[in-house]
Amino acid sequence: VQLQAFGGGLVQAGDSLRLSCAASGLAFGSYTLAWFRQAPGKEREFVAAIYWTTRYADSAKGRFAISRDNANNTVSLQMNSLEPEDTAVYYCSAGYGVVLGMQTGEYGHWGQGTEVTVSS
C-alpha cells in the first residue's frame, strides 16, 4: 500500500490550498480516508475523514472540505481561509473498517506528509 500526499506550500493567511493524496495497492473504495496534521512540537491531530460521509475536527469545520475520487484512488482536502495555526505537516491515511475514526491508531496506512506553512 502506498499513499502519496502532495499540494503543500507556503501561503498567506486567508489564502486557500488544496492537498491531494494518491493511493495504490488497496481496495480504495472500502477504506475510510483521513487527513491528519502535525505542527512542530505537537502531536499528530485529526483534521477530516471520509467514507460515504464526512467528519471534521472543530478547527476544520466550515473552512476545510474533504473529498474522494474512487475512480482515481485519490482523496483531497480543500483548505480555505487558512490561518497561521494551520501550519503543519499534513498526512493522508487509510483505514479499513474504521468508522470515520479520529485516532491515529485506527489507521493502518500513512503517506509521507506534505508541509503547509501559513504566514501572517
Side-chain angles (χ1 to χ4, degrees):
V1 176
Q2 282 194 322
L3 299 172
Q4 186 169 4
F6 52 94
L10 172 63
V11 297
Q12 294 186 332
D15 285 351
S16 298
L17 201 61
R18 185 177 181 86
L19 307 181
S20 293
C21 177
S24 61
L26 74 170
F28 188 80
S30 298
Y31 280 72
T32 290
L33 287 304
W35 289 93
F36 286 76
R37 68 186 183 186
Q38 188 165 16
K42 295 188 176 181
E43 294 186 352
R44 194 169 298 189
E45 65 176 10
F46 172 79
V47 177
I50 184 168
Y51 187 48
W52 296 117
T53 185
T54 58
R55 187 176 191 178
Y56 294 93
D58 288 343
S59 60
K61 288 178 182 176
R63 299 189 301 128
F64 294 3
I66 189 171
S67 61
R68 65 189 295 163
D69 181 348
N70 288 344
N72 292 299
N73 288 9
T74 58
V75 57
S76 297
L77 184 69
Q78 177 67 41
M79 304 187 294
N80 301 322
S81 302
L82 283 162
E83 304 167 350
E85 293 73 22
D86 296 316
T87 294
V89 177
Y90 284 70
Y91 297 89
C92 60
S93 60
Y96 185 78
V98 177
V99 185
L100 300 176
M102 301 175 67
Q103 305 300 318
T104 57
E106 297 180 83
Y107 294 85
H109 306 289
W110 292 85
Q112 85 287 3
T114 184
E115 188 168 3
V116 173
T117 303
V118 184
S119 64
S120 57

